Amino acid sequence: MSAGTRQERIAQVVRATRAKPGRFRDEHITMAHGAGGKASQTLIEGLLLPAFANDALALLGDAGIVPGDGAIVQGDAGAAPGDGGVVAGATGLALTTDSFVVKPIRFPGGSLGELAVNGTVNDLAVSGARPLALTLSLVLEEGLSAQELREQVQEIALAAERAGVQIVAGDTKVVERGHAEKMYACTTGLGALDPRARLSPRALRPGDRILVSGAIAEHGMAVMLARDEFELDAEIVSDTRSLWPAADALLQSAGAELRCMRDATRGGVASALNELARASRVCALVHESEVPVAPAVAAAAELLGIDPMYVANEGRLLAFVAPEAAAGALAALRAVPGCEHATEIGEILTEPSGMVLVDTAFGGRRVMDLLAGDPLPRIC
Amino acid sequence: MSAGTRQERIAQVVRATRAKPGRFRDEHITMAHGAGGKASQTLIEGLLLPAFANDALALLGDAGIVPGDGAIVQGDAGAAPGDGGVVAGATGLALTTDSFVVKPIRFPGGSLGELAVNGTVNDLAVSGARPLALTLSLVLEEGLSAQELREQVQEIALAAERAGVQIVAGDTKVVERGHAEKMYACTTGLGALDPRARLSPRALRPGDRILVSGAIAEHGMAVMLARDEFELDAEIVSDTRSLWPAADALLQSAGAELRCMRDATRGGVASALNELARASRVCALVHESEVPVAPAVAAAAELLGIDPMYVANEGRLLAFVAPEAAAGALAALRAVPGCEHATEIGEILTEPSGMVLVDTAFGGRRVMDLLAGDPLPRIC
């Protein structure tokens, strides 16, 4: 087939799928509204953002920048009115919040408690904010065993210690048996904006390089296999970790040439790239063959018919770096423990604006859109 | 009977019930662990505080003071590792967090969404922190009607506007039908510590006067009656409101002679007084006949056999003021809309340390201890 024909077909798909501000028309909440895909986007853009309209939320960063006292604030989209942020004062602070409902609460490589710390620490880290303190609010199911609670509390304490943050405030509620599943946790993180860069989901520019801090899709696969819904036994452990050391290394290496960072959680790398391409009105092009995926993960994904690009990560970030700083940033990232497999996986183009394209291993190019459904509910 | 005999009986009860640091020995979580009474206390003191040990939490304020950058932080006890607090920077900030699981989500005078804003705003206010910004994290039940969600979101937006705070960051999760009850919300509040006073749950001194900002027990009674579990029809509406105007008036009137404020939520006035008496190692004496209770509330409480002192409030605060500033503070409080029925209800004594005593309307004196059970689950 001629290049012209292929380009025409891509252009058709682009016209059909180009993102518009979502409208929330559903009559009931479905699992898809929590999955980080299209339904989540319409819930956020169609209902939550308009209701709470302010500059912080509209920015949709990972820990928003919002008007404080002579101050800035920022915010991120998960399936949320922005995952993050407040800043007040001269130096600048960031706020971010997340609820954790992962099932099961313990899985290879991690636990709900560990995610609750690392997930919120990471929303701060990718916003370029050094994590200072967390709050913790628990919803417990009547009948939860004290031993399970004790273990989760210890995981929370240990993860906080590893990440170098204190739990400074908290709350506990109990609901009747059957009105929660063991326990849910909500953490909110306060961080100090790092002066080495001014990151923004709107800052991506054509030519920027896309880095990923390690092999993808491990967290989502580990949780899914832990549910025993599939007769599949694979040695896959969650990647949950604090991403502040990785963010710190990137800030140090690239400084103002670091445009934006994002942790690729719900909806995976595909969803994070789509959000940022929309926010910056650029195209993100991914070279599929460059994306690191561990063999066990790739095999499990193929057996289950799931694209690893859509599978959640909890300890991986995407970084967008000006081309002249990309090689140095990648080297700095690879020197961080846990990021040895960091890779450059693509670049930013001008058109088609708001879209993500993938150069496949077979020489084709396809659109990588937001998912409409929910392949992996309750993943964090 | 002689005064000596009565005093001896009180002393006996005091010895039997004097609070010791709780030890968490239960094998399972029960509704009582979320009710703000003794079981909550053992969960907090026996498990959560030791695990997350730091100065901020140990203070157990309503929005803790914690080590930041040249900074202070603070924290409060609900059934929580401290309801609040972080401060960083020269001026000082406070952080507080709460989950809301009230049932039903709409009741006379309020809604879950309204509570989620006012409850967190009030934890900041009673910590002497001017509310600046909130984060909002929702856990939605699959199948929740979009209309109910839309209404709650509007209530949240309206309450935030009334309280003068912005929602600057958020998150939404969805769990399968039956694994939540319609919706739960977690809000975290960031506030600026007010320089007019330095409040602390440890600051109560013998002679201090105890003020309440209005008639008590209205929120808990309104929610309980809304559940239709009792064949009782009474015109009782929740007192939910932002308490910052009341806190502001007290700070302005009493300044440094304002020792502490506390919103009397779960466990009611009785539980708040017990916590503070323990923290300050003093006795709180309440004159029962002075405590304002609306006739409809008193009648419903009597019919149901519930002491209004243990019923939750969502728009009432307790203030502890040095004796010379008490009259001025009360006048200032009464000038605030919604606080017209503010009253002085008691005073602080030296002994018995850590206890709350009540002078009853019949001339007796009894110990008002923490509740062991859970009279009103899911009240906020």
Side-chain angles (χ1 to χ4, degrees):
Chain A
M1 94 190 76
S2 78
T5 311
R6 197 172 69 192
Q7 290 225 337
E8 181 48 38
R9 275 193 300 120
I10 290 176
Q12 250 174 0
V13 177
V14 165
R15 281 191 297 273
T17 60
R18 191 188 293 269
K20 293 177 199 148
R23 292 189 62 175
F24 180 64
R25 300 172 192 269
D26 306 291
E27 291 200 357
H28 294 93
I29 293 298
T30 64
M31 295 304 293
H33 289 111
K38 275 186 183 163
S40 298
Q41 192 185 78
T42 61
L43 175 61
I44 297 168
E45 295 183 357
L47 176 59
L48 299 173
L49 288 185
F52 307 131
N54 65 58
D55 293 343
L57 283 175
L59 261 176
L60 279 181
D62 242 320
I65 318 217
V66 178
D69 274 293
I72 28 166
V73 186
Q74 181 187 329
D76 162 52
D83 268 358
V86 179
V87 182
T91 52
L93 297 171
L95 263 191
T96 182
T97 192
D98 252 320
S99 282
F100 295 84
V101 299
V102 64
K103 172 169 101 171
I105 63 174
R106 181 171 288 286
F107 45 82
S111 63
L112 184 147
E114 206 172 340
L115 285 193
V117 172
N118 289 339
T120 293
V121 160
N122 291 350
D123 279 341
L124 290 173
V126 297
S127 303
R130 182 184 298 272
L132 293 176
L134 296 183
T135 65
L136 170 68
S137 189
L138 302 174
V139 174
L140 307 178
E141 183 188 14
E142 179 189 20
L144 173 68
S145 87
Q147 187 51 33
E148 279 186 291
L149 174 59
R150 198 173 279 116
E151 286 171 9
Q152 294 292 330
V153 165
Q154 292 306 335
E155 299 267 354
I156 291 168
L158 190 61
E161 193 187 320
R162 281 195 190 130
V165 294
Q166 283 194 334
I167 311 283
V168 298
D171 180 51
T172 310
K173 293 293 191 303
V174 180
V175 295
E176 298 88 347
R177 201 181 293 265
H179 288 155
E181 205 170 353
K182 293 196 173 182
M183 61 186 289
Y184 304 145
C186 176
T187 48
T188 301
L190 179 71
L193 277 183
D194 193 291
R196 288 172 288 183
R198 170 66 79 220
L199 308 175
S200 166
R202 292 182 183 165
L204 276 49
R205 296 287 170 269
D208 288 352
R209 298 301 151 70
I210 307 171
L211 311 183
V212 65
S213 68
I216 68 166
E218 292 172 1
H219 172 73
M221 280 295 170
V223 171
M224 197 161 47
L225 296 183
R227 287 187 196 154
D228 288 330
E229 292 167 11
F230 311 98
E231 295 193 2
L232 195 60
D233 212 12
E235 297 258 321
I236 301 173
V237 300
S238 169
D239 59 14
T240 181
R241 66 167 56 76
S242 162
L243 283 170
W244 174 250
D248 189 33
L250 287 166
L251 287 162
Q252 188 59 29
S253 167
E257 287 168 328
L258 181 62
R259 315 286 200 199
C260 184
M261 295 185 280
R262 179 64 61 106
D263 53 340
T265 55
R266 273 183 299 183
V269 168
S271 301
L273 289 175
N274 268 281
E275 283 171 17
L276 295 174
R278 281 162 50 96
S280 288
R281 300 172 190 277
V282 294
C283 168
L285 174 65
V286 175
H287 309 300
E288 193 169 51
S289 60
E290 302 296 327
V291 179
V293 184
V297 172
E302 197 173 329
L303 273 168
L304 299 173
I306 294 171
D307 184 343
M309 301 286 252
Y310 290 93
V311 175
N313 310 274
E314 284 290 334
R316 300 294 181 224
L317 61 73
L318 295 170
F320 302 83
V321 189
E324 60 275 21
L330 183 59
L333 197 50
R334 284 184 174 163
V336 175
C339 300
E340 296 80 0
H341 300 295
T343 311
E344 182 181 315
I345 61 167
E347 65 202 282
I348 300 301
L349 309 178
T350 307
E351 288 288 343
S353 163
M355 307 286 297
V356 181
L357 299 180
V358 179
D359 273 340
T360 67
F362 312 106
R365 184 171 279 196
R366 61 181 168 82
V367 173
M368 187 164 71
D369 200 6
L370 283 177
L371 277 195
D374 180 6
L376 299 167
R378 310 270 305 271
I379 212 69
C380 61
Chain B
M1 94 192 75
S2 77
T5 311
R6 199 172 67 191
Q7 292 226 336
E8 181 49 37
R9 276 194 299 119
I10 289 176
Q12 252 174 358
V13 177
V14 166
R15 282 191 297 272
T17 60
R18 191 188 292 269
K20 295 175 197 148
R23 292 189 61 175
F24 180 64
R25 298 173 192 273
D26 306 290
E27 291 201 356
H28 294 93
I29 294 298
T30 64
M31 294 305 292
H33 289 112
K38 276 185 181 163
S40 297
Q41 193 185 76
T42 62
L43 175 62
I44 296 168
E45 295 184 356
L47 177 60
L48 299 173
L49 288 185
F52 307 131
N54 65 57
D55 294 344
L57 283 176
L59 262 177
L60 280 181
D62 243 320
I65 316 216
V66 178
D69 273 295
I72 30 167
V73 186
Q74 180 187 330
D76 161 53
D83 268 358
V86 177
V87 182
T91 51
L93 296 171
L95 262 190
T96 183
T97 193
D98 252 320
S99 282
F100 294 84
V101 299
V102 64
K103 174 170 98 173
I105 63 175
R106 180 172 288 284
F107 45 84
S111 63
L112 185 145
E114 206 173 340
L115 285 193
V117 171
N118 289 339
T120 293
V121 160
N122 291 350
D123 279 342
L124 291 173
V126 297
S127 303
R130 182 184 298 271
L132 293 177
L134 296 183
T135 65
L136 169 69
S137 189
L138 302 174
V139 174
L140 307 178
E141 183 188 14
E142 180 188 19
L144 173 69
S145 87
Q147 187 52 33
E148 280 185 292
L149 175 59
R150 198 173 278 117
E151 286 170 10
Q152 294 292 329
V153 165
Q154 293 306 335
E155 299 266 352
I156 291 168
L158 189 62
E161 192 186 322
R162 280 194 191 132
V165 294
Q166 282 193 336
I167 310 283
V168 297
D171 180 52
T172 309
K173 294 293 192 302
V174 181
V175 295
E176 298 87 347
R177 204 179 291 264
H179 287 155
E181 205 170 353
K182 292 196 174 183
M183 62 185 289
Y184 304 145
C186 176
T187 48
T188 300
L190 178 70
L193 278 182
D194 194 290
R196 289 172 287 182
R198 170 65 80 222
L199 308 175
S200 166
R202 291 181 182 165
L204 276 49
R205 296 287 170 268
D208 287 352
R209 299 301 151 71
I210 307 172
L211 312 183
V212 66
S213 68
I216 69 167
E218 292 172 1
H219 172 72
M221 279 296 170
V223 171
M224 197 161 48
L225 297 183
R227 286 186 197 155
D228 287 330
E229 291 166 11
F230 311 100
E231 295 193 1
L232 194 60
D233 212 12
E235 297 257 322
I236 301 174
V237 300
S238 169
D239 59 14
T240 181
R241 65 166 57 75
S242 162
L243 283 170
W244 173 250
D248 188 32
L250 287 165
L251 286 162
Q252 188 60 30
S253 167
E257 287 168 328
L258 180 62
R259 316 288 199 197
C260 184
M261 295 184 280
R262 179 62 63 104
D263 53 339
T265 54
R266 273 183 298 182
V269 168
S271 301
L273 289 175
N274 267 281
E275 284 170 16
L276 295 173
R278 281 162 49 96
S280 288
R281 300 172 190 277
V282 294
C283 168
L285 174 65
V286 175
H287 309 301
E288 193 170 52
S289 59
E290 302 296 327
V291 178
V293 184
V297 172
E302 198 173 328
L303 273 168
L304 299 172
I306 294 171
D307 184 343
M309 301 286 252
Y310 290 93
V311 175
N313 311 275
E314 284 290 334
R316 300 295 181 224
L317 61 74
L318 296 170
F320 303 83
V321 189
E324 60 276 21
L330 183 57
L333 198 50
R334 284 185 174 162
V336 174
C339 301
E340 295 81 0
H341 301 295
T343 311
E344 182 181 315
I345 60 168
E347 64 202 284
I348 300 301
L349 309 178
T350 307
E351 289 287 343
S353 163
M355 307 286 297
V356 181
L357 299 180
V358 178
D359 274 340
T360 67
F362 312 105
R365 183 171 280 196
R366 61 181 168 81
V367 173
M368 188 163 71
D369 200 6
L370 283 177
L371 278 195
D374 180 6
L376 299 168
R378 310 269 306 270
I379 213 69
C380 61

PDB file of all heavy atoms in Angstrom, chain B residues 35 40 79 209 228 241 253 284 303 328 333 348 360:
ATOM      1  N   ALA B  35     -16.540   4.743  66.230  1.00  0.00           N
ATOM      2  CA  ALA B  35     -17.575   5.569  66.845  1.00  0.00           C
ATOM      3  C   ALA B  35     -17.052   6.703  67.707  1.00  0.00           C
ATOM      4  O   ALA B  35     -17.817   7.501  68.221  1.00  0.00           O
ATOM      5  CB  ALA B  35     -18.501   4.692  67.679  1.00  0.00           C
ATOM      6  N   SER B  40     -12.426   3.234  69.739  1.00  0.00           N
ATOM      7  CA  SER B  40     -11.673   4.090  68.818  1.00  0.00           C
ATOM      8  C   SER B  40     -10.355   4.503  69.455  1.00  0.00           C
ATOM      9  O   SER B  40      -9.297   4.504  68.814  1.00  0.00           O
ATOM     10  CB  SER B  40     -12.462   5.361  68.491  1.00  0.00           C
ATOM     11  OG  SER B  40     -13.662   5.056  67.837  1.00  0.00           O
ATOM     12  N   ALA B  79     -11.645   9.235  65.516  1.00  0.00           N
ATOM     13  CA  ALA B  79     -11.157   7.871  65.616  1.00  0.00           C
ATOM     14  C   ALA B  79     -10.046   7.790  64.591  1.00  0.00           C
ATOM     15  O   ALA B  79     -10.207   7.263  63.518  1.00  0.00           O
ATOM     16  CB  ALA B  79     -12.258   6.885  65.319  1.00  0.00           C
ATOM     17  N   ARG B 209     -12.878  28.651  81.413  1.00  0.00           N
ATOM     18  CA  ARG B 209     -14.302  28.442  81.199  1.00  0.00           C
ATOM     19  C   ARG B 209     -14.539  27.663  79.908  1.00  0.00           C
ATOM     20  O   ARG B 209     -13.762  27.778  78.962  1.00  0.00           O
ATOM     21  CB  ARG B 209     -15.033  29.790  81.144  1.00  0.00           C
ATOM     22  CG  ARG B 209     -14.906  30.577  82.437  1.00  0.00           C
ATOM     23  CD  ARG B 209     -15.482  29.778  83.618  1.00  0.00           C
ATOM     24  NE  ARG B 209     -14.853  30.067  84.912  1.00  0.00           N
ATOM     25  CZ  ARG B 209     -14.974  31.180  85.612  1.00  0.00           C
ATOM     26  NH1 ARG B 209     -15.630  32.120  85.142  1.00  0.00           N
ATOM     27  NH2 ARG B 209     -14.414  31.355  86.771  1.00  0.00           N
ATOM     28  N   ASP B 228     -35.110   6.322  59.577  1.00  0.00           N
ATOM     29  CA  ASP B 228     -36.424   5.680  59.701  1.00  0.00           C
ATOM     30  C   ASP B 228     -36.383   4.379  60.487  1.00  0.00           C
ATOM     31  O   ASP B 228     -37.221   3.507  60.287  1.00  0.00           O
ATOM     32  CB  ASP B 228     -37.026   5.398  58.303  1.00  0.00           C
ATOM     33  CG  ASP B 228     -37.498   6.679  57.641  1.00  0.00           C
ATOM     34  OD1 ASP B 228     -37.889   7.597  58.385  1.00  0.00           O
ATOM     35  OD2 ASP B 228     -37.470   6.754  56.410  1.00  0.00           O
ATOM     36  N   ARG B 241     -22.287  23.390  59.345  1.00  0.00           N
ATOM     37  CA  ARG B 241     -21.910  24.729  58.869  1.00  0.00           C
ATOM     38  C   ARG B 241     -20.404  24.887  59.023  1.00  0.00           C
ATOM     39  O   ARG B 241     -19.769  24.129  59.752  1.00  0.00           O
ATOM     40  CB  ARG B 241     -22.616  25.815  59.673  1.00  0.00           C
ATOM     41  CG  ARG B 241     -22.213  25.860  61.160  1.00  0.00           C
ATOM     42  CD  ARG B 241     -22.663  27.131  61.846  1.00  0.00           C
ATOM     43  NE  ARG B 241     -24.107  27.350  61.756  1.00  0.00           N
ATOM     44  CZ  ARG B 241     -25.014  26.683  62.464  1.00  0.00           C
ATOM     45  NH1 ARG B 241     -24.638  25.744  63.319  1.00  0.00           N
ATOM     46  NH2 ARG B 241     -26.288  26.954  62.331  1.00  0.00           N
ATOM     47  N   SER B 253     -11.554  38.027  69.851  1.00  0.00           N
ATOM     48  CA  SER B 253     -11.954  38.509  71.179  1.00  0.00           C
ATOM     49  C   SER B 253     -10.972  38.092  72.271  1.00  0.00           C
ATOM     50  O   SER B 253     -10.567  38.916  73.092  1.00  0.00           O
ATOM     51  CB  SER B 253     -13.352  37.975  71.516  1.00  0.00           C
ATOM     52  OG  SER B 253     -13.631  38.171  72.888  1.00  0.00           O
ATOM     53  N   ALA B 284     -12.666  18.376  83.587  1.00  0.00           N
ATOM     54  CA  ALA B 284     -13.661  19.279  83.002  1.00  0.00           C
ATOM     55  C   ALA B 284     -14.969  19.072  83.754  1.00  0.00           C
ATOM     56  O   ALA B 284     -15.466  17.947  83.851  1.00  0.00           O
ATOM     57  CB  ALA B 284     -13.841  18.990  81.517  1.00  0.00           C
ATOM     58  N   LEU B 303     -36.909   9.921  74.550  1.00  0.00           N
ATOM     59  CA  LEU B 303     -37.681   8.786  74.030  1.00  0.00           C
ATOM     60  C   LEU B 303     -36.772   7.622  73.641  1.00  0.00           C
ATOM     61  O   LEU B 303     -37.093   6.461  73.837  1.00  0.00           O
ATOM     62  CB  LEU B 303     -38.488   9.211  72.800  1.00  0.00           C
ATOM     63  CG  LEU B 303     -39.861   9.799  73.076  1.00  0.00           C
ATOM     64  CD1 LEU B 303     -40.430  10.443  71.817  1.00  0.00           C
ATOM     65  CD2 LEU B 303     -40.811   8.704  73.588  1.00  0.00           C
ATOM     66  N   GLY B 328     -16.255  38.214  77.423  1.00  0.00           N
ATOM     67  CA  GLY B 328     -16.065  38.863  76.122  1.00  0.00           C
ATOM     68  C   GLY B 328     -16.134  37.865  74.984  1.00  0.00           C
ATOM     69  O   GLY B 328     -16.736  38.130  73.934  1.00  0.00           O
ATOM     70  N   LEU B 333     -18.945  35.444  70.389  1.00  0.00           N
ATOM     71  CA  LEU B 333     -19.476  34.234  69.773  1.00  0.00           C
ATOM     72  C   LEU B 333     -20.954  34.406  69.435  1.00  0.00           C
ATOM     73  O   LEU B 333     -21.411  34.050  68.340  1.00  0.00           O
ATOM     74  CB  LEU B 333     -19.267  33.066  70.746  1.00  0.00           C
ATOM     75  CG  LEU B 333     -19.344  31.630  70.224  1.00  0.00           C
ATOM     76  CD1 LEU B 333     -18.480  31.426  68.994  1.00  0.00           C
ATOM     77  CD2 LEU B 333     -18.915  30.677  71.338  1.00  0.00           C
ATOM     78  N   ILE B 348     -12.867  24.353  84.085  1.00  0.00           N
ATOM     79  CA  ILE B 348     -11.793  23.384  84.252  1.00  0.00           C
ATOM     80  C   ILE B 348     -11.330  23.387  85.708  1.00  0.00           C
ATOM     81  O   ILE B 348     -11.109  24.442  86.293  1.00  0.00           O
ATOM     82  CB  ILE B 348     -10.608  23.735  83.316  1.00  0.00           C
ATOM     83  CG1 ILE B 348     -11.074  23.727  81.849  1.00  0.00           C
ATOM     84  CG2 ILE B 348      -9.444  22.772  83.519  1.00  0.00           C
ATOM     85  CD1 ILE B 348     -11.650  22.401  81.378  1.00  0.00           C
ATOM     86  N   THR B 360     -25.419  17.494  87.837  1.00  0.00           N
ATOM     87  CA  THR B 360     -26.717  17.244  87.202  1.00  0.00           C
ATOM     88  C   THR B 360     -27.748  18.257  87.670  1.00  0.00           C
ATOM     89  O   THR B 360     -27.548  18.974  88.651  1.00  0.00           O
ATOM     90  CB  THR B 360     -27.239  15.834  87.538  1.00  0.00           C
ATOM     91  OG1 THR B 360     -27.541  15.792  88.940  1.00  0.00           O
ATOM     92  CG2 THR B 360     -26.200  14.788  87.202  1.00  0.00           C
TER      93      THR B 360
END
